[in-house]
Amino acid sequence: MKIFLDTAVIDEIKKGLETGLIDGVTTNPTLVSQAKVDFKAAIAQIASLANAPAEWAVSAEVTALDCAGMINEGIELAAIAPSVVIKVPLTVEGLKACKALSGKKIKTNATLVFSPNQAILAAKAGATYVSPFVGRLDDVGQNGMQLISDIKAIYDNYGYSTKIIVASIRSPQHVVQSGLAGAHVVTIPPKIFSQMFSHPLTDIGVKKFMEDWAAFKK
Ligand code: E4P
């Protein structure tokens, strides 16, 4: 399973990269505005971070609403670095742009996906990634993780190469469920990445081992 960090805060990404466990980054207009960074400069900086793995993937979202505008933005953003993936919303215009960008060998991420039908269309448009938002579905009383299982089953039925990024993750449990459903990628807030390391029995175990070791060495 690949782990992406869902943030535009450079220091958080650098810290994640230090673990050697982060495969990519996803951003969106909200995250960029919260990080208060210059969008293109931040994407360039994230794309060129020192410890990034060879297959580093950095999603940058278009803000135009029409196909032509999205294609222009996508071409401009993709020129920043080979690791840049163009995020387009799952709208008619977005998928037209997705198909055009895919035809130019530009990597794409169809975002704001909330149904299996939308995911089918993203795959047919040649999206490199599809981003179903599980937390936002849970927020409105639907079952976000069921969507992931449904998309995985459909993609497997037809051998679609589009990779599933589980997005809008709210807890470490969503990560576990993503793994059980066979999702290719989870994109998680840095706080949840930290929580994935934690277990009280690990802390107790380390403390006891250190105490026993110290007593033995005396
Ligand atoms: C994914 O690419 C999105 O940036 C993100 O996961 C959205 O999450 P949210 O629902 O917490 O805003």
Side-chain angles (χ1 to χ4, degrees):
M1 178 194 275
K2 293 202 179 224
I3 298 178
F4 292 178
L5 283 183
D6 197 28
T7 180
V9 178
I10 310 284
D11 284 346
E12 290 179 340
I13 300 165
K14 282 184 180 166
K15 201 172 156 208
L17 276 174
E18 282 168 13
T19 67
L21 304 176
I22 299 299
D23 304 289
V25 171
T26 52
T27 65
N28 64 40
T30 302
L31 292 172
V32 171
S33 71
Q34 286 168 350
K36 298 185 176 56
V37 287
D38 177 85
F39 177 43
K40 285 181 192 154
I43 294 298
Q45 197 181 349
I46 296 167
S48 63
L49 282 172
N51 304 328
E55 290 193 16
W56 192 224
V58 181
S59 280
E61 189 156 344
V62 297
T63 51
L65 293 176
D66 63 304
C67 174
M70 289 186 206
I71 293 171
N72 287 340
E73 271 185 61
I75 291 172
E76 204 179 320
L77 290 165
I80 293 175
S83 56
V84 174
V85 178
I86 306 306
K87 232 173 165 187
V88 294
L90 199 299
T91 59
V92 174
E93 293 299 295
L95 284 195
K96 279 159 51 182
C98 181
K99 183 142 196 181
L101 292 167
S102 300
K104 294 178 190 296
K105 307 277 177 242
I106 290 175
K107 286 173 280 183
T108 51
N109 175 356
T111 190
L112 291 167
V113 168
F114 295 96
S115 76
N117 278 329
Q118 291 179 314
I120 291 170
L121 297 175
K124 287 187 68 69
T128 316
Y129 298 98
V130 66
S131 290
F133 279 36
V134 295
R136 292 194 196 185
L137 277 172
D138 291 351
D139 290 347
V140 296
Q142 294 185 29
N143 186 340
M145 289 314 305
Q146 184 59 47
L147 174 61
I148 303 304
S149 301
D150 290 349
I151 296 172
K152 182 69 169 65
I154 293 167
Y155 280 12
D156 285 351
N157 283 346
Y158 293 95
Y160 287 134
S161 60
T162 303
K163 295 197 165 33
I164 302 168
I165 303 179
V166 183
S168 187
I169 281 184
R170 301 275 193 263
S171 70
Q173 200 52 31
H174 271 150
V175 179
V176 175
Q177 291 165 342
S178 301
L180 290 171
H184 308 91
V185 187
V186 286
T187 187
I188 54 181
K191 184 180 158 203
I192 290 173
F193 180 57
S194 299
Q195 289 172 342
M196 284 176 71
F197 288 83
S198 299
H199 196 287
L201 290 178
T202 306
D203 298 339
I204 291 167
V206 168
K207 187 166 174 280
K208 175 86 172 84
F209 284 157
M210 291 308 103
E211 284 167 2
D212 291 349
W213 189 248
F216 169 69
K217 297 269 278 185
K218 272 180 195 162

